[in-house]
Amino acid sequence: MKLPRRDLLRYGFLSAANAGLASVIGCGKKASAPAPKQAPTREITGQWSLRAVAAEHRLLTGFAVDPKLLQDPHYAAVVREQASLIVPENAMKWGALRPAPGQYSFEQADILLTFAEQNRIRLRGHTLCWHRSLPSWVEAIDSAQEAHRQLTEHIQTVAGRYAGRMHSWDVVNEAVEVKDNRPDGLRNSFWLRLVGPDYIEAAFHAARAADPAALLSYNDYGLESETYDAEQKRSAVLLLLRRLKARRVPLDAVGIQCHISARPMYSYGPGLQRFTEQVREMGLQIFLSEMDVNDRNADRTPERQDAEVAQTYNRFLAMALAERAVTAVLFWGVDDGHSWLRYENGRDDQTRPLLFDRDLRPKEAFYAARAAMEARSMPPKP
Ligand code: XIL
């Protein structure tokens, strides 16, 4: 599928850094370049769906999904039509799975797996080890041995239950926090305090043993922008990844959350590109794992708000997808009405950070993200 030139131009895609891609998308000066098919570009199903366009450019794509919302046939239809990969927004966290010691409640997680398998969608697990979403009975644990036992048993049970059926698991989430001032860059989290820094490797080994087929990822945020803080965080994460690789910890991928912002706060570019290149050189895949565009600081006039969000999606994805190690793009929610950003940092019901509006209509952001995927240039398959 080829999107018309006007779509690519609209999102600034043919400008600056990516001018060289003109011939790839079939609208360059080369006489041999195929003419773009004039598509009904507002069409979003079938070959015009996100999953179809992504597949042509060697990507899986989809959303963080709430199993309860799948009861809405309209929501379910959008996920079915657009996604080739989904992830539970909350349903596979400890807070959802572990009501009490020794107890597991898998109903909501199972709903997602069934939905995914019925619709040829891959499922990514999130997350086996995190400092947040811990039930109070876990936070009350006070011995290293018991914390280690609970962590590995949890991973054996949860990853074991879905073994062979998962695309990937976020084994450890957000384990780096530069501001905690440790030489190893690790967050002074519940698991670190109780078990010590080796909790990370213990988690990965347990996950591999429980599900040898799933890709195992380390996932983190704050890695994206050109700020000093992000550069520090990238260094600390690279240090962790190198340490894990040197110790032969089973690790296949890095999730870069991509909770990014529309102007004017941040820019994105070389820092992230250098990071993803180094991650690729370690032999790891990259997932853009939780993308949304925070529009808190955007122009909130009706005509500008969606345009700024769309342009941020397009520019960021055009830059990030140039890295061939990126194999998946997930958006953190389907529609603006259910974005976590409505409740993050105070209530904000006017935020429009996702690809679909509250009525599940595709927004400019949808077309902008799709155009960036469509314009992705990849080396030929070996
Ligand atoms: C968020 C969910 O979206 C919210 O519904 C929940 O209340 C808190 O967690 N990084 C992550 C995700 O890895 O798990 C978080 O999800 C968002 C930030």
Side-chain angles (χ1 to χ4, degrees):
M1 167 196 145
K2 295 279 170 275
L3 292 173
R5 179 182 170 81
R6 66 166 184 282
D7 262 37
L8 297 157
L9 281 171
R10 173 160 17 157
Y11 302 114
F13 194 79
L14 291 180
S15 64
N18 296 296
L21 290 178
S23 61
V24 176
I25 57 168
C27 47
K29 288 190 185 135
K30 280 189 191 167
S32 60
K37 202 161 44 177
Q38 284 303 310
T41 53
R42 298 280 124 174
E43 179 60 63
I44 67 161
T45 61
Q47 65 172 317
W48 313 111
S49 66
L50 219 52
R51 65 174 282 164
V53 174
E56 277 191 33
H57 297 273
R58 291 197 228 159
L59 290 169
L60 291 171
T61 194
F63 314 97
V65 170
D66 175 348
K68 295 208 174 73
L69 296 175
L70 287 173
Q71 288 168 9
D72 169 1
H74 195 180
Y75 177 96
V78 171
V79 178
R80 203 179 281 124
E81 187 71 46
Q82 303 299 330
S84 47
L85 178 68
I86 56 175
V87 58
E89 181 167 351
N90 292 304
M92 286 186 173
K93 292 175 181 169
W94 282 66
L97 292 176
R98 304 302 308 279
Q103 275 183 33
Y104 291 81
S105 106
F106 287 117
E107 296 75 24
Q108 295 300 310
D110 286 355
I111 288 172
L112 275 191
L113 184 71
T114 305
F115 176 84
E117 290 185 341
Q118 285 172 349
N119 293 290
R120 298 168 301 110
I121 298 172
R122 305 300 315 275
L123 182 61
R124 166 170 165 70
H126 173 83
T127 169
L128 296 169
C129 180
W130 191 26
H131 63 286
R132 288 176 58 191
S133 189
L134 288 176
S136 49
W137 66 264
V138 175
E139 286 181 328
I141 296 171
D142 59 6
S143 90
Q145 202 190 8
E146 178 60 4
H148 185 275
R149 194 183 72 75
Q150 286 290 351
L151 179 64
T152 50
E153 187 195 288
H154 176 88
I155 295 174
Q156 274 157 20
T157 308
V158 177
R161 178 181 181 88
Y162 300 112
R165 301 164 80 179
M166 303 296 286
H167 163 266
S168 55
W169 268 109
D170 270 339
V171 180
V172 177
N173 193 30
E174 305 181 352
V176 167
E177 176 51 282
V178 175
K179 293 195 177 72
D180 284 353
N181 270 323
R182 291 173 49 95
D184 59 10
L186 293 181
R187 181 187 297 277
N188 185 20
S189 69
F190 169 80
W191 297 111
L192 184 116
R193 285 193 302 276
L194 268 279
V195 183
D198 289 350
Y199 82 88
I200 299 177
E201 3 195 316
F204 277 98
H205 284 296
R208 183 67 102 219
D211 184 355
L215 296 169
L216 303 183
S217 50
Y218 173 74
N219 196 54
D220 217 330
Y221 67 95
L223 299 162
E224 300 82 6
S225 76
E226 288 297 289
T227 59
Y228 175 79
D229 284 355
E231 188 58 29
Q232 298 282 99
K233 184 128 184 187
R234 289 189 285 264
S235 301
V237 168
L238 286 170
L239 191 72
L240 168 65
L241 299 175
R242 293 213 166 90
R243 205 171 66 230
L244 296 178
K245 292 292 283 183
R247 295 175 60 108
R248 301 193 181 283
V249 173
L251 169 70
D252 307 299
V254 173
I256 302 174
Q257 291 187 6
C258 299
H259 295 293
I260 61 169
S261 273
R263 60 140 221 192
M265 295 214 306
Y266 300 122
S267 64
Y268 305 97
L272 181 65
Q273 286 171 315
R274 278 193 301 273
F275 175 78
T276 55
E277 196 181 306
Q278 290 176 77
V279 172
R280 170 181 20 94
E281 283 165 359
M282 280 184 234
L284 302 172
Q285 292 188 35
I286 296 166
F287 309 141
L288 309 184
S289 57
E290 306 186 8
M291 189 168 187
D292 52 21
V293 175
N294 192 324
D295 58 359
R296 189 166 287 267
N297 297 299
D299 184 337
R300 286 282 181 102
T301 54
E303 60 287 2
R304 290 296 309 147
Q305 185 173 2
D306 283 355
E308 286 190 12
V309 169
Q311 192 169 70
T312 306
Y313 268 109
N314 187 261
R315 289 190 176 157
F316 183 88
L317 284 173
M319 183 263 297
L321 295 180
E323 171 50 65
R324 64 181 185 276
V326 175
T327 54
V329 182
L330 287 161
F331 303 94
W332 204 243
V334 178
D335 65 281
D336 293 336
H338 296 99
S339 165
W340 73 307
L341 294 172
R342 284 182 69 180
Y343 311 101
E344 191 72 4
N345 306 319
R347 189 80 189 250
D348 179 6
D349 289 333
Q350 304 313 315
T351 185
R352 295 172 63 85
L354 292 169
L355 305 193
F356 290 83
D357 71 12
R358 282 163 175 67
D359 301 317
L360 289 162
R361 286 181 305 231
K363 297 160 46 192
E364 284 306 305
F366 175 94
Y367 301 105
R370 188 181 66 177
M373 290 183 191
E374 170 62 10
R376 187 185 205 201
S377 150
M378 291 288 281
K381 281 188 181 144

